[in-house]
Amino acid sequence: MASNVYSVGLSNVGSYQVSGRPYCATGSLLEGTESIEFPMITKEILVLNLSGSNDLDVYFHTGSMDSNKYTISGGEQYTFSVKCKEVFLSASSGTDYSLYASLTQITSSHMFHMTGSGVTE
């Protein structure tokens, strides 16, 4: 007799249908790139650029820093519906941000390496 075992995982629909555990981070980018590693896989990420005039760039892979970025203008926000274990933020000096994420119960070790068209160069 076959026995199906269902558990939390990347392809488990229930892992994304339930409300996520909240994760919040705030910071100020002086220059360069900051990496934010999540304790669990995300369901959704909201990034707010609190700067009045500086742009904030968002990446999902270090290899995509030059060509595959999403730019959030000063004073704007964007919601990413994405599963990932890490996000990269880059901006010029004095750019403040807030980041809110909805986390699943999937451990980061389950996440595959982000690569391919649209993710890396």
Side-chain angles (χ1 to χ4, degrees):
M1 178 198 266
S3 176
N4 293 327
V5 178
Y6 298 99
S7 63
V8 172
L10 290 177
S11 298
N12 177 272
V13 174
S15 296
Y16 301 97
Q17 287 180 327
V18 297
S19 297
R21 190 174 84 195
Y23 178 92
C24 302
T26 59
S28 182
L29 294 168
L30 299 177
E31 191 170 320
T33 302
E34 182 173 326
S35 169
I36 298 174
E37 293 185 40
F38 302 108
M40 306 297 261
I41 300 299
T42 63
K43 172 182 176 181
E44 188 172 80
I45 303 169
L46 170 68
V47 181
L48 293 93
N49 181 348
L50 302 175
S51 170
S53 58
N54 296 339
D55 288 343
L56 177 66
D57 296 327
V58 180
Y59 310 86
F60 294 97
H61 186 276
T62 55
S64 62
M65 296 298 192
D66 294 328
S67 61
N68 295 301
K69 63 184 175 184
Y70 188 89
T71 300
I72 302 173
S73 300
E76 299 293 322
Q77 68 184 38
Y78 191 80
T79 301
F80 299 91
S81 181
V82 62
K83 58 181 165 189
C84 68
K85 64 179 178 180
E86 186 174 28
V87 67
F88 301 90
L89 304 176
S90 179
S92 59
S93 63
T95 303
D96 296 328
Y97 69 87
S98 286
L99 181 143
Y100 304 96
S102 178
L103 302 179
T104 66
Q105 292 299 312
I106 307 166
T107 61
S108 296
S109 63
H110 283 90
M111 188 62 190
F112 52 85
H113 184 67
M114 299 284 250
T115 185
S117 177
V119 179
T120 61
E121 293 180 276

